[in-house]
Amino acid sequence: MINQFLKTALTMMLLLAVVAANAGNNFDKPVKKAIRVLLVGGGSSHDFDKWYKGTDVETLQKDGFATVEYTSDPTTILPKLKDIDVLLLANNQPIADDATRKAIFAFADAGKGLVLAHPALWYNWKDWPEYNQKLVGGGSKGHDKYGPFDVKITKKHPVTKNVPETFHLDDELYYQIPDESGSPIEVLATAKAATSDKVFPSIFIVKYPKGRIVGIALGHDAASHTIAPYQTILRNAVQWASGQ
């Protein structure tokens, strides 16, 4: 009798642990077909393997939402573009090959999806200004010291669906500045530091003529990658960019 009671209690504890682990992950219904994603990481100042190759891949592949291939080798991008729906750039290392650079633009021009994550929104490449001007619609050259700030959803959009109107996290608040001579951006969420009145785009759509491009300025470490709002935004961005 005691053993049966203990088994029942243990089962209930395990069920509660599962519920708690998934609390707040308000993911929408499954996609019609798993979205094919190539996630490119690598570079400096971030733990790419842990948060992009690890946590973000897991977030995207949950419940068959997407199939994700991760690479930290930019030379492998070009031959893979023909077989994917969304290119997710999370790297700040160079994409030096001119053919790959042209192929990324051709991918966007073909109406395919780009999601540009935190490290890839920086002004990383002086010899490739077209990237920031046209695909990012601007970029970041600085950020607040890592710490707490609030993110506020400013516009309803498929990318912000099921995301709280305001949420709090610790991260690097990127000084994301639109380029007035570049592609316009549609700001979906903003970030504001507690110590400043300055407000910066945090989640945005790049109004590139043909492609579907989303910028996500959040994502330095666990405090963003592991929380429900970020994970929902990431999945929404990939789904919207894919056209599903």
Side-chain angles (χ1 to χ4, degrees):
M1 189 72 173
I2 293 176
N3 286 340
Q4 183 61 40
F5 175 79
L6 290 174
K7 286 181 180 179
T8 303
L10 180 59
T11 301
M12 290 300 295
M13 289 174 65
L14 290 171
L15 287 172
L16 288 171
V18 171
V19 171
N22 290 282
N25 284 328
N26 194 9
F27 297 150
D28 210 352
K29 62 184 180 180
V31 291
K32 295 177 181 178
K33 184 178 180 182
I35 302 165
R36 301 169 299 171
V37 179
L38 177 64
L39 201 171
V40 182
S44 63
S45 305
H46 301 83
D47 192 336
F48 294 94
D49 281 357
K50 191 168 186 178
W51 305 123
Y52 291 99
K53 183 180 181 180
T55 305
D56 281 2
V57 169
E58 182 180 350
T59 295
L60 290 172
Q61 294 193 149
K62 184 177 177 63
D63 300 327
F65 176 82
T67 58
V68 185
E69 180 177 355
Y70 178 88
T71 182
S72 57
D73 181 0
T75 66
T76 65
I77 296 173
L78 182 55
K80 298 179 187 297
L81 290 177
K82 68 182 186 301
D83 298 319
I84 64 170
D85 304 305
V86 175
L87 177 62
L88 202 171
L89 296 179
N91 58 306
N92 56 23
Q93 65 172 317
I95 298 175
D97 178 58
D98 188 56
T100 301
R101 293 179 174 184
K102 289 179 179 177
I104 290 173
F105 269 89
F107 184 81
D109 287 334
K112 296 296 186 74
L114 283 175
V115 176
L116 307 176
H118 177 84
L121 295 179
W122 206 257
Y123 278 95
N124 292 307
W125 308 297
K126 291 181 179 180
D127 64 337
W128 194 20
E130 298 84 5
Y131 171 83
N132 283 91
Q133 183 183 42
K134 296 180 180 180
L135 296 184
V136 184
S140 299
K141 294 181 179 179
H143 61 75
D144 270 7
K145 183 179 179 180
Y146 180 92
F149 61 86
D150 291 326
V151 176
K152 181 178 181 180
I153 304 299
T154 56
K155 188 165 188 178
K156 290 184 177 180
H157 188 277
V159 173
T160 58
K161 186 176 181 180
N162 295 329
V163 179
E165 184 177 341
T166 302
F167 61 94
H168 185 82
L169 78 167
D170 285 3
D171 205 334
E172 294 173 330
L173 197 164
Y174 267 26
Y175 303 153
Q176 186 71 26
I177 306 294
D179 183 345
E180 293 183 359
S181 66
S183 299
I185 68 170
E186 178 182 359
V187 179
L188 305 181
T190 57
K192 178 184 177 301
T195 56
S196 171
D197 291 331
K198 292 183 179 179
V199 176
F200 296 95
S202 184
I203 312 296
F204 56 93
I205 302 297
V206 182
K207 309 295 279 186
Y208 190 73
K210 297 178 180 179
R212 287 173 168 251
I213 305 177
V214 185
I216 303 174
L218 310 173
H220 184 72
D221 62 9
S224 50
H225 291 265
T226 61
I227 64 172
Y230 173 91
Q231 293 178 351
T232 302
I233 289 166
L234 179 63
R235 285 169 64 104
N236 286 348
V238 166
Q239 185 169 2
W240 181 82
S242 76
Q244 284 205 41

